[in-house]
Coordinates of all heavy atoms in Angstrom, one line a residue:
L1072 N -84.9 55.0 -96.9 CA -86.0 55.9 -97.0 C -85.7 56.9 -98.2 O -86.6 57.2 -98.9 CB -86.2 56.7 -95.7 CG -87.3 57.7 -95.7 CD1 -88.7 57.0 -95.9 CD2 -87.4 58.4 -94.3
G1073 N -84.6 57.4 -98.3 CA -84.2 58.4 -99.3 C -84.4 57.9 -100.7 O -84.8 58.6 -101.6
L1074 N -84.2 56.6 -100.9 CA -84.4 56.0 -102.2 C -85.8 55.6 -102.5 O -86.2 55.4 -103.6 CB -83.5 54.7 -102.4 CG -82.0 55.0 -102.3 CD1 -81.2 53.7 -102.3 CD2 -81.6 55.9 -103.5
S1075 N -86.6 55.4 -101.4 CA -88.0 55.0 -101.6 C -89.0 56.0 -101.8 O -90.1 55.8 -102.1 CB -88.4 54.2 -100.3 OG -87.5 53.1 -100.1
I1076 N -88.6 57.3 -101.5 CA -89.6 58.4 -101.5 C -89.3 59.3 -102.6 O -88.2 59.7 -102.9 CB -89.6 59.1 -100.1 CG1 -90.9 60.0 -100.0 CG2 -88.4 59.9 -99.9 CD1 -91.3 60.3 -98.6
T1077 N -90.4 59.7 -103.3 CA -90.3 60.7 -104.3 C -91.5 61.7 -104.1 O -92.5 61.3 -103.5 CB -90.5 60.1 -105.7 OG1 -91.8 59.5 -105.8 CG2 -89.4 59.1 -106.0
P1078 N -91.3 63.0 -104.5 CA -92.4 63.9 -104.4 C -93.7 63.4 -105.1 O -94.8 63.7 -104.5 CB -91.9 65.2 -105.0 CG -90.4 65.1 -104.9 CD -90.1 63.6 -105.0
A1079 N -93.6 62.8 -106.2 CA -94.8 62.4 -106.9 C -95.5 61.3 -106.0 O -96.7 61.2 -106.0 CB -94.4 61.8 -108.3
A1080 N -94.7 60.4 -105.4 CA -95.3 59.3 -104.6 C -96.0 59.9 -103.4 O -97.1 59.4 -103.0 CB -94.2 58.3 -104.2
V1081 N -95.4 60.9 -102.8 CA -96.0 61.5 -101.6 C -97.4 62.2 -102.0 O -98.3 62.0 -101.3 CB -95.1 62.5 -101.0 CG1 -95.8 63.3 -99.9 CG2 -93.8 61.8 -100.4
R1082 N -97.4 62.9 -103.2 CA -98.6 63.5 -103.6 C -99.7 62.4 -103.9 O -100.8 62.6 -103.5 CB -98.4 64.3 -104.9 CG -98.0 65.7 -104.5 CD -97.9 66.6 -105.8 NE -96.5 66.9 -106.0 CZ -95.7 66.5 -107.0 NH1 -96.3 65.8 -107.9 NH2 -94.5 66.7 -107.0
R1083 N -99.3 61.4 -104.5 CA -100.3 60.3 -104.8 C -100.8 59.6 -103.5 O -101.9 59.3 -103.4 CB -99.6 59.2 -105.6 CG -99.9 59.2 -107.1 CD -99.5 57.9 -107.8 NE -98.3 57.2 -107.3 CZ -97.0 57.5 -107.7 NH1 -96.8 58.4 -108.5 NH2 -96.1 56.8 -107.1
Q1084 N -99.9 59.5 -102.5 CA -100.3 58.7 -101.3 C -100.6 59.6 -100.2 O -100.9 59.2 -99.0 CB -99.0 57.9 -100.9 CG -98.5 56.9 -101.9 CD -99.3 55.7 -102.0 OE1 -100.2 55.5 -101.2 NE2 -99.1 54.9 -103.0
L1085 N -100.8 61.0 -100.4 CA -100.9 61.9 -99.3 C -102.1 61.6 -98.3 O -101.9 61.6 -97.2 CB -101.0 63.3 -99.8 CG -100.9 64.4 -98.7 CD1 -99.6 64.3 -97.9 CD2 -101.0 65.8 -99.3
P1086 N -103.3 61.4 -98.8 CA -104.4 61.1 -97.9 C -104.1 59.9 -97.0 O -104.4 59.9 -95.8 CB -105.6 60.9 -98.8 CG -105.3 61.5 -100.1 CD -103.8 61.4 -100.2
F1087 N -103.7 58.8 -97.6 CA -103.4 57.6 -96.8 C -102.2 57.8 -95.9 O -102.1 57.3 -94.8 CB -103.2 56.4 -97.7 CG -104.4 56.0 -98.5 CD1 -104.5 56.0 -99.8 CD2 -105.5 55.6 -97.7 CE1 -105.6 55.6 -100.5 CE2 -106.7 55.2 -98.4 CZ -106.7 55.2 -99.8
A1088 N -101.2 58.6 -96.4 CA -100.0 58.8 -95.6 C -100.4 59.7 -94.4 O -99.9 59.4 -93.2 CB -98.9 59.5 -96.4
M1089 N -101.2 60.6 -94.5 CA -101.7 61.5 -93.4 C -102.5 60.6 -92.4 O -102.3 60.8 -91.2 CB -102.5 62.6 -93.9 CG -101.7 63.7 -94.6 SD -102.6 65.0 -95.5 CE -103.7 65.6 -94.2
L1090 N -103.3 59.7 -92.9 CA -104.1 58.8 -92.0 C -103.1 57.9 -91.3 O -103.3 57.7 -90.1 CB -105.0 58.0 -92.9 CG -105.9 57.0 -92.1 CD1 -106.8 57.7 -91.0 CD2 -106.7 56.2 -93.0
G1091 N -102.1 57.4 -92.0 CA -101.2 56.5 -91.3 C -100.3 57.2 -90.3 O -100.1 56.6 -89.2
A1092 N -99.9 58.4 -90.6 CA -99.1 59.1 -89.6 C -100.0 59.5 -88.4 O -99.5 59.5 -87.3 CB -98.5 60.4 -90.3
A1093 N -101.2 59.9 -88.6 CA -102.1 60.3 -87.5 C -102.4 59.1 -86.7 O -102.4 59.2 -85.4 CB -103.4 60.9 -88.1
L1094 N -102.7 57.9 -87.3 CA -102.9 56.8 -86.5 C -101.7 56.3 -85.7 O -101.8 55.9 -84.6 CB -103.3 55.6 -87.4 CG -104.8 55.7 -88.0 CD1 -105.0 54.6 -89.0 CD2 -105.8 55.6 -86.8
R1095 N -100.5 56.4 -86.3 CA -99.3 56.0 -85.6 C -99.0 56.9 -84.4 O -98.8 56.5 -83.3 CB -98.1 56.0 -86.6 CG -96.7 56.0 -85.9 CD -96.6 54.7 -85.1 NE -95.4 54.7 -84.3 CZ -95.3 55.0 -83.0 NH1 -96.4 55.2 -82.3 NH2 -94.2 55.0 -82.4
M1096 N -99.0 58.2 -84.7 CA -98.6 59.2 -83.6 C -99.8 59.4 -82.7 O -99.6 59.4 -81.4 CB -98.1 60.5 -84.3 CG -96.9 60.3 -85.1 SD -96.3 61.8 -85.9 CE -95.4 62.5 -84.5
G1097 N -101.0 59.6 -83.1 CA -102.1 59.8 -82.3 C -102.5 58.6 -81.5 O -102.9 58.6 -80.4
G1098 N -102.6 57.5 -82.3 CA -102.9 56.2 -81.6 C -101.9 55.8 -80.6 O -102.2 55.3 -79.5
G1099 N -100.6 56.0 -80.9 CA -99.5 55.7 -80.0 C -99.7 56.5 -78.7 O -99.5 56.1 -77.6
L1100 N -100.0 57.8 -78.9 CA -100.1 58.7 -77.8 C -101.3 58.3 -76.9 O -101.2 58.2 -75.7 CB -100.4 60.2 -78.3 CG -100.6 61.2 -77.2 CD1 -99.4 61.3 -76.3 CD2 -100.9 62.6 -77.8
A1101 N -102.4 57.9 -77.5 CA -103.6 57.4 -76.8 C -103.2 56.2 -76.0 O -103.6 56.1 -74.8 CB -104.8 57.2 -77.7
L1102 N -102.5 55.2 -76.6 CA -102.1 54.0 -75.9 C -101.1 54.3 -74.8 O -101.2 53.7 -73.7 CB -101.5 53.0 -76.9 CG -102.5 52.3 -77.8 CD1 -101.8 51.5 -78.9 CD2 -103.5 51.5 -77.1
G1103 N -100.2 55.3 -75.0 CA -99.2 55.7 -74.0 C -99.9 56.3 -72.8 O -99.6 56.0 -71.7
L1104 N -100.9 57.2 -73.1 CA -101.6 57.8 -72.0 C -102.4 56.8 -71.2 O -102.5 56.8 -70.0 CB -102.6 58.9 -72.5 CG -101.9 60.2 -73.0 CD1 -102.9 61.0 -73.8 CD2 -101.2 60.9 -71.9
T1105 N -103.0 55.8 -71.9 CA -103.7 54.7 -71.2 C -102.8 53.9 -70.4 O -103.1 53.6 -69.2 CB -104.4 53.8 -72.3 OG1 -105.3 54.6 -73.0 CG2 -105.2 52.7 -71.6
A1106 N -101.6 53.6 -70.9 CA -100.6 52.8 -70.1 C -100.2 53.5 -68.9 O -100.0 52.9 -67.8 CB -99.4 52.4 -71.0
V1107 N -100.0 54.8 -69.0 CA -99.5 55.6 -67.9 C -100.6 55.6 -66.8 O -100.3 55.5 -65.6 CB -99.3 57.1 -68.3 CG1 -99.2 58.1 -67.1 CG2 -98.0 57.2 -69.1
R1108 N -101.9 55.7 -67.1 CA -102.9 55.7 -66.1 C -103.1 54.3 -65.5 O -103.2 54.1 -64.3 CB -104.2 56.1 -66.7 CG -104.2 57.6 -67.0 CD -105.5 58.1 -67.5 NE -105.2 59.4 -68.1 CZ -105.8 60.4 -67.7 NH1 -106.8 60.4 -66.8 NH2 -105.6 61.6 -68.2
V1109 N -103.1 53.2 -66.3 CA -103.2 51.9 -65.8 C -102.1 51.5 -64.9 O -102.3 50.9 -63.9 CB -103.4 50.9 -67.0 CG1 -103.3 49.5 -66.5 CG2 -104.6 51.1 -67.8
L1110 N -100.9 51.9 -65.3 CA -99.7 51.4 -64.5 C -99.4 52.4 -63.4 O -98.5 52.1 -62.6 CB -98.5 51.3 -65.5 CG -98.6 50.2 -66.5 CD1 -97.5 50.3 -67.5 CD2 -98.8 48.9 -65.9
D1111 N -100.0 53.6 -63.4 CA -99.8 54.6 -62.4 C -98.3 54.9 -62.2 O -97.7 54.8 -61.2 CB -100.4 54.1 -61.0 CG -100.5 55.2 -60.0 OD1 -100.7 56.4 -60.4 OD2 -100.4 55.0 -58.8
L1112 N -97.7 55.4 -63.3 CA -96.3 55.6 -63.4 C -96.0 57.0 -62.7 O -96.7 57.9 -62.7 CB -95.8 55.6 -64.8 CG -96.0 54.3 -65.5 CD1 -95.5 54.4 -67.0 CD2 -95.2 53.2 -64.9
A1113 N -94.8 57.0 -62.2 CA -94.2 58.3 -61.6 C -93.8 59.3 -62.7 O -93.9 59.0 -63.9 CB -93.1 57.9 -60.7
A1114 N -93.4 60.5 -62.3 CA -93.2 61.6 -63.2 C -92.3 61.3 -64.4 O -92.6 61.5 -65.5 CB -92.6 62.7 -62.4
L1115 N -91.0 60.8 -64.1 CA -90.1 60.6 -65.2 C -90.5 59.5 -66.1 O -90.5 59.5 -67.3 CB -88.7 60.4 -64.7 CG -87.6 60.2 -65.7 CD1 -87.5 61.4 -66.6 CD2 -86.2 59.9 -65.1
Q1116 N -91.0 58.4 -65.5 CA -91.4 57.2 -66.3 C -92.6 57.6 -67.1 O -92.7 57.2 -68.3 CB -91.8 56.0 -65.4 CG -90.6 55.5 -64.7 CD -90.3 56.1 -63.3 OE1 -91.0 57.1 -62.9 NE2 -89.2 55.7 -62.7
R1117 N -93.5 58.4 -66.6 CA -94.7 58.9 -67.3 C -94.3 59.6 -68.5 O -94.8 59.4 -69.6 CB -95.6 59.7 -66.4 CG -96.8 60.2 -67.0 CD -97.7 61.0 -66.2 NE -97.1 61.8 -65.2 CZ -97.3 61.8 -63.9 NH1 -98.2 60.9 -63.4 NH2 -96.7 62.6 -63.1
A1118 N -93.3 60.6 -68.4 CA -92.9 61.4 -69.5 C -92.2 60.5 -70.6 O -92.5 60.7 -71.8 CB -91.9 62.4 -69.0
V1119 N -91.4 59.6 -70.2 CA -90.8 58.7 -71.1 C -91.8 57.9 -72.0 O -91.7 57.8 -73.2 CB -89.7 57.8 -70.5 CG1 -89.2 56.7 -71.4 CG2 -88.6 58.6 -69.9
V1120 N -92.7 57.3 -71.2 CA -93.8 56.5 -71.9 C -94.6 57.3 -72.9 O -94.8 56.9 -74.1 CB -94.7 55.7 -70.9 CG1 -95.9 55.1 -71.6 CG2 -93.9 54.7 -70.1
I1121 N -95.0 58.5 -72.5 CA -95.8 59.3 -73.4 C -95.0 59.8 -74.6 O -95.5 59.7 -75.7 CB -96.4 60.5 -72.6 CG1 -97.4 60.0 -71.5 CG2 -97.0 61.5 -73.5 CD1 -97.8 61.1 -70.6
L1122 N -93.8 60.2 -74.4 CA -93.0 60.7 -75.5 C -92.6 59.6 -76.5 O -92.7 59.8 -77.7 CB -91.7 61.4 -75.0 CG -91.9 62.8 -74.4 CD1 -90.6 63.3 -73.7 CD2 -92.5 63.8 -75.4
V1123 N -92.2 58.4 -76.0 CA -91.9 57.4 -76.8 C -93.1 56.8 -77.6 O -93.0 56.5 -78.8 CB -91.2 56.2 -76.0 CG1 -91.0 55.0 -76.9 CG2 -89.8 56.7 -75.5
S1124 N -94.2 56.8 -77.0 CA -95.4 56.2 -77.7 C -95.9 57.1 -78.8 O -96.6 56.7 -79.7 CB -96.5 56.0 -76.6 OG -97.0 57.2 -76.1
A1125 N -95.6 58.4 -78.7 CA -96.1 59.4 -79.7 C -95.0 59.7 -80.8 O -95.2 60.6 -81.6 CB -96.5 60.7 -79.0
M1126 N -93.9 59.0 -80.8 CA -92.8 59.2 -81.7 C -93.2 58.9 -83.1 O -94.2 58.1 -83.3 CB -91.6 58.4 -81.3 CG -90.8 59.0 -80.1 SD -89.4 58.0 -79.7 CE -88.4 58.3 -81.2
P1127 N -92.5 59.5 -84.1 CA -92.8 59.1 -85.5 C -92.5 57.7 -85.9 O -91.8 57.0 -85.1 CB -91.9 60.1 -86.3 CG -91.5 61.1 -85.4 CD -91.5 60.5 -84.0
S1128 N -93.1 57.3 -87.0 CA -92.8 55.9 -87.5 C -91.3 55.7 -87.8 O -90.6 56.7 -88.2 CB -93.6 55.6 -88.8 OG -95.0 55.8 -88.6
A1129 N -90.8 54.5 -87.5 CA -89.4 54.2 -87.7 C -89.1 53.9 -89.2 O -89.9 53.4 -89.9 CB -89.0 53.1 -86.8
V1130 N -87.9 54.2 -89.5 CA -87.4 53.9 -90.9 C -87.4 52.4 -91.1 O -87.5 52.0 -92.3 CB -86.0 54.6 -91.1 CG1 -85.5 54.2 -92.5 CG2 -86.1 56.1 -90.9
T1131 N -87.3 51.6 -90.1 CA -87.2 50.2 -90.3 C -88.5 49.7 -90.9 O -88.6 48.6 -91.5 CB -87.0 49.4 -88.9 OG1 -87.9 49.9 -88.0 CG2 -85.6 49.7 -88.4
A1132 N -89.6 50.4 -90.7 CA -90.9 50.0 -91.4 C -90.8 49.9 -92.9 O -91.4 49.0 -93.5 CB -92.0 51.0 -91.0
V1133 N -89.9 50.8 -93.4 CA -89.7 50.7 -94.9 C -89.0 49.4 -95.3 O -89.3 48.8 -96.3 CB -88.9 52.0 -95.4 CG1 -88.7 51.9 -96.9 CG2 -89.7 53.3 -95.0
I1134 N -88.0 49.1 -94.4 CA -87.3 47.8 -94.7 C -88.2 46.6 -94.6 O -88.2 45.8 -95.5 CB -86.1 47.7 -93.7 CG1 -85.1 48.8 -93.9 CG2 -85.4 46.3 -93.9 CD1 -84.1 49.0 -92.8
F1135 N -89.1 46.6 -93.6 CA -90.0 45.5 -93.5 C -91.0 45.5 -94.7 O -91.3 44.4 -95.2 CB -90.8 45.6 -92.2 CG -89.9 45.4 -91.0 CD1 -90.1 46.1 -89.8 CD2 -89.0 44.4 -90.9 CE1 -89.3 45.9 -88.7 CE2 -88.2 44.1 -89.8 CZ -88.4 44.9 -88.7
A1136 N -91.4 46.6 -95.1 CA -92.3 46.7 -96.2 C -91.7 46.2 -97.5 O -92.3 45.5 -98.3 CB -92.9 48.1 -96.4
T1137 N -90.4 46.6 -97.7 CA -89.7 46.1 -98.9 C -89.5 44.6 -98.8 O -89.7 43.9 -99.8 CB -88.3 46.8 -99.0 OG1 -88.5 48.2 -99.0 CG2 -87.6 46.4 -100.2
E1138 N -89.1 44.1 -97.7 CA -88.8 42.6 -97.5 C -90.1 41.8 -97.7 O -90.0 40.7 -98.2 CB -88.2 42.3 -96.2 CG -86.8 42.9 -96.0 CD -85.8 42.1 -96.9 OE1 -85.9 40.9 -97.0 OE2 -85.0 42.8 -97.5
T1139 N -91.3 42.3 -97.3 CA -92.5 41.6 -97.4 C -93.3 41.9 -98.6 O -94.5 41.4 -98.7 CB -93.3 41.8 -96.1 OG1 -93.6 43.1 -95.9 CG2 -92.6 41.2 -94.9
K1140 N -92.8 42.7 -99.4 CA -93.4 43.1 -100.7 C -94.8 43.8 -100.5 O -95.7 43.6 -101.2 CB -93.6 41.9 -101.6 CG -92.3 41.1 -101.9 CD -92.1 40.7 -103.2 CE -90.9 39.9 -103.5 NZ -89.8 40.0 -102.7
L1141 N -94.8 44.7 -99.5 CA -95.9 45.6 -99.2 C -95.8 46.9 -100.0 O -94.8 47.1 -100.7 CB -96.1 45.8 -97.7 CG -96.4 44.6 -96.9 CD1 -96.4 44.9 -95.4 CD2 -97.7 43.9 -97.3
D1142 N -96.7 47.8 -99.8 CA -96.7 49.1 -100.5 C -95.5 50.0 -100.0 O -95.8 50.7 -99.0 CB -98.0 49.8 -100.4 CG -98.2 51.0 -101.3 OD1 -97.1 51.4 -102.0 OD2 -99.3 51.5 -101.5
E1143 N -94.4 49.8 -100.6 CA -93.2 50.5 -100.1 C -93.3 52.1 -100.2 O -93.0 52.8 -99.3 CB -92.0 50.1 -100.9 CG -90.7 50.7 -100.5 CD -89.5 50.2 -101.3 OE1 -89.7 49.2 -102.0 OE2 -88.5 50.9 -101.3
E1144 N -94.0 52.5 -101.2 CA -94.2 53.9 -101.4 C -95.1 54.6 -100.3 O -94.8 55.6 -99.8 CB -94.9 54.3 -102.8 CG -93.9 54.2 -103.9 CD -94.6 54.7 -105.2 OE1 -95.8 54.8 -105.2 OE2 -93.9 54.8 -106.2
L1145 N -96.1 53.8 -99.9 CA -97.0 54.3 -98.9 C -96.3 54.3 -97.5 O -96.4 55.3 -96.8 CB -98.3 53.4 -98.8 CG -99.3 53.8 -97.7 CD1 -99.8 55.2 -97.8 CD2 -100.4 52.7 -97.6
V1146 N -95.6 53.3 -97.2 CA -94.9 53.2 -96.0 C -93.8 54.3 -95.9 O -93.7 55.0 -94.9 CB -94.3 51.8 -95.7 CG1 -93.4 51.8 -94.5 CG2 -95.4 50.8 -95.7
A1147 N -93.1 54.5 -97.0 CA -92.1 55.6 -97.0 C -92.7 57.0 -96.9 O -92.2 57.8 -96.2 CB -91.3 55.5 -98.3
S1148 N -93.9 57.2 -97.5 CA -94.6 58.4 -97.3 C -95.1 58.6 -95.8 O -95.0 59.7 -95.3 CB -95.8 58.5 -98.3 OG -95.4 58.4 -99.6
I1149 N -95.6 57.6 -95.2 CA -96.0 57.6 -93.8 C -94.8 58.0 -92.9 O -94.9 58.9 -92.1 CB -96.7 56.4 -93.4 CG1 -98.0 56.2 -94.1 CG2 -96.8 56.3 -91.8 CD1 -98.6 54.9 -93.8
V1150 N -93.7 57.3 -93.1 CA -92.5 57.6 -92.3 C -92.0 59.0 -92.5 O -91.7 59.7 -91.5 CB -91.4 56.5 -92.7 CG1 -90.0 56.9 -92.0 CG2 -91.8 55.1 -92.2
A1151 N -91.9 59.4 -93.8 CA -91.4 60.8 -94.0 C -92.3 61.8 -93.4 O -91.9 62.8 -92.8 CB -91.2 61.0 -95.5
L1152 N -93.6 61.7 -93.6 CA -94.6 62.6 -93.1 C -94.6 62.7 -91.6 O -94.6 63.8 -91.0 CB -96.0 62.3 -93.6 CG -97.1 63.3 -93.3 CD1 -96.8 64.7 -93.8 CD2 -98.4 62.8 -93.8
S1153 N -94.5 61.5 -90.9 CA -94.5 61.5 -89.5 C -93.3 62.1 -88.9 O -93.3 62.7 -87.9 CB -94.8 60.1 -88.9 OG -93.7 59.2 -89.3
I1154 N -92.1 61.9 -89.6 CA -90.9 62.5 -89.1 C -91.0 64.0 -89.2 O -90.6 64.8 -88.3 CB -89.7 62.0 -89.9 CG1 -89.4 60.5 -89.5 CG2 -88.4 62.8 -89.7 CD1 -88.4 59.8 -90.3
C1155 N -91.6 64.5 -90.3 CA -91.8 66.0 -90.5 C -92.7 66.6 -89.4 O -92.4 67.6 -88.9 CB -92.3 66.3 -91.9 SG -91.2 66.0 -93.2
V1156 N -93.7 65.8 -89.1 CA -94.6 66.3 -88.0 C -93.9 66.3 -86.7 O -94.1 67.2 -85.9 CB -95.9 65.4 -88.0 CG1 -96.7 65.7 -86.7 CG2 -96.8 65.6 -89.2
G1157 N -93.1 65.2 -86.4 CA -92.4 65.2 -85.2 C -91.4 66.3 -85.0 O -91.2 66.9 -84.0
I1158 N -90.7 66.7 -86.2 CA -89.8 67.8 -86.1 C -90.5 69.1 -85.9 O -90.0 70.0 -85.2 CB -88.9 67.8 -87.4 CG1 -88.0 66.6 -87.4 CG2 -88.2 69.1 -87.6 CD1 -87.2 66.5 -88.8
A1159 N -91.7 69.2 -86.5 CA -92.5 70.4 -86.3 C -92.9 70.6 -84.8 O -93.0 71.8 -84.4 CB -93.7 70.4 -87.2
F1160 N -93.1 69.5 -84.1 CA -93.5 69.6 -82.7 C -92.3 69.9 -81.7 O -92.5 70.2 -80.6 CB -94.3 68.4 -82.3 CG -95.7 68.5 -82.6 CD1 -96.3 67.7 -83.6 CD2 -96.6 69.3 -81.9 CE1 -97.6 67.8 -84.0 CE2 -97.9 69.3 -82.2 CZ -98.4 68.6 -83.3
L1161 N -91.1 69.7 -82.2 CA -89.9 69.8 -81.3 C -89.9 71.2 -80.6 O -89.5 71.2 -79.4 CB -88.6 69.6 -82.1 CG -88.3 68.2 -82.3 CD1 -87.0 68.1 -83.1 CD2 -88.2 67.4 -81.0
P1162 N -90.2 72.3 -81.2 CA -90.1 73.6 -80.5 C -91.1 73.7 -79.3 O -90.8 74.5 -78.4 CB -90.4 74.7 -81.6 CG -90.1 74.0 -82.9 CD -90.4 72.5 -82.6
W1163 N -92.1 72.9 -79.3 CA -93.1 73.0 -78.2 C -92.9 72.0 -77.1 O -93.6 72.0 -76.1 CB -94.5 72.8 -78.8 CG -95.0 74.0 -79.6 CD1 -95.3 75.2 -79.1 CD2 -95.2 74.0 -81.0 NE1 -95.6 76.0 -80.1 CE2 -95.6 75.3 -81.3 CE3 -95.1 73.1 -82.0 CZ2 -95.9 75.7 -82.6 CZ3 -95.4 73.5 -83.3 CH2 -95.8 74.7 -83.6
L1164 N -91.8 71.2 -77.3 CA -91.5 70.2 -76.2 C -91.2 70.8 -74.9 O -91.7 70.3 -73.9 CB -90.4 69.3 -76.7 CG -90.6 67.8 -76.5 CD1 -91.9 67.4 -77.2 CD2 -89.5 67.0 -76.8
P1165 N -90.4 71.9 -74.8 CA -90.2 72.5 -73.5 C -91.5 73.0 -72.8 O -91.6 72.9 -71.6 CB -89.3 73.6 -73.7 CG -88.5 73.3 -75.0 CD -89.6 72.5 -75.8
Q1166 N -92.4 73.5 -73.5 CA -93.7 74.0 -73.0 C -94.5 72.8 -72.5 O -95.4 72.9 -71.6 CB -94.5 74.9 -73.9 CG -93.9 76.2 -74.1 CD -92.8 76.2 -75.2 OE1 -92.6 75.2 -75.9 NE2 -92.1 77.3 -75.3
L1167 N -94.4 71.6 -73.1 CA -95.2 70.5 -72.8 C -94.6 69.6 -71.7 O -95.3 68.9 -71.1 CB -95.3 69.5 -74.0 CG -96.1 70.1 -75.2 CD1 -96.0 69.1 -76.4 CD2 -97.6 70.3 -74.8
S1168 N -93.4 69.9 -71.4 CA -92.7 69.0 -70.4 C -93.3 69.1 -69.0 O -93.5 68.1 -68.3 CB -91.2 69.3 -70.3 OG -91.0 70.6 -69.9
P1169 N -93.8 70.3 -68.5 CA -94.5 70.3 -67.2 C -95.8 69.5 -67.2 O -96.2 68.8 -66.2 CB -94.8 71.8 -67.0 CG -93.9 72.5 -67.8 CD -93.6 71.7 -69.0
L1170 N -96.5 69.4 -68.4 CA -97.7 68.6 -68.5 C -97.4 67.1 -68.4 O -98.1 66.3 -67.9 CB -98.4 68.9 -69.8 CG -98.9 70.4 -69.9 CD1 -99.5 70.6 -71.3 CD2 -100.0 70.7 -68.9
L1171 N -96.2 66.7 -69.0 CA -95.8 65.3 -69.0 C -95.4 64.8 -67.7 O -95.7 63.7 -67.2 CB -94.7 65.1 -70.0 CG -95.1 65.4 -71.5 CD1 -93.8 65.3 -72.4 CD2 -96.2 64.5 -72.0
I1172 N -94.6 65.6 -67.0 CA -94.1 65.2 -65.7 C -95.1 65.5 -64.6 O -95.2 64.7 -63.7 CB -92.7 66.0 -65.4 CG1 -91.7 65.5 -66.5 CG2 -92.2 65.7 -64.0 CD1 -90.4 66.3 -66.4
G1173 N -95.8 66.5 -64.7 CA -96.6 67.1 -63.7 C -97.7 66.5 -63.0 O -98.2 66.3 -62.0

């Protein structure tokens, strides 16, 4: 990821990177919430499914994009941006935990 991302690439790809990060994290969260309701999961399992489904994009996506000759800059920008968003939400996790388990 470190070799694939540059500030200029992020600026060029910012609208699409923001869309990709929002789809990954928001869409994952929506699917996780749906799975929790459909499967009627208990407290701890519910929290795990919701948190894992809303996690940032994985760095392995950059490897797959490189191997398949896709837009490596865009994927690297999505991964970097979603990781930054995930880190920004970390301070609020303790306040959200009663909602997840509850």
Side-chain angles (χ1 to χ4, degrees):
L1072 178 63
L1074 297 174
S1075 302
I1076 193 159
T1077 62
V1081 173
R1082 270 186 252 115
R1083 259 193 328 271
Q1084 305 282 350
L1085 190 60
F1087 292 119
M1089 288 173 52
L1090 178 64
L1094 285 174
R1095 166 61 190 102
M1096 296 178 83
L1100 178 61
L1102 288 173
L1104 290 170
T1105 302
V1107 163
R1108 289 183 196 238
V1109 168
L1110 299 173
D1111 194 31
L1112 297 176
L1115 183 59
Q1116 293 88 1
R1117 179 178 36 235
V1119 169
V1120 168
I1121 292 170
L1122 288 174
V1123 169
S1124 66
M1126 286 180 65
S1128 299
V1130 177
T1131 54
V1133 178
I1134 296 168
F1135 292 139
T1137 303
E1138 291 293 319
T1139 56
K1140 307 218 182 340
L1141 296 174
D1142 191 350
E1143 183 181 342
E1144 283 184 350
L1145 176 60
V1146 174
S1148 297
I1149 291 170
V1150 170
L1152 184 61
S1153 66
I1154 288 172
C1155 290
V1156 170
I1158 289 171
F1160 275 105
L1161 281 177
W1163 289 293
L1164 226 61
Q1166 289 84 10
L1167 293 175
S1168 62
L1170 298 173
L1171 296 174
I1172 295 173

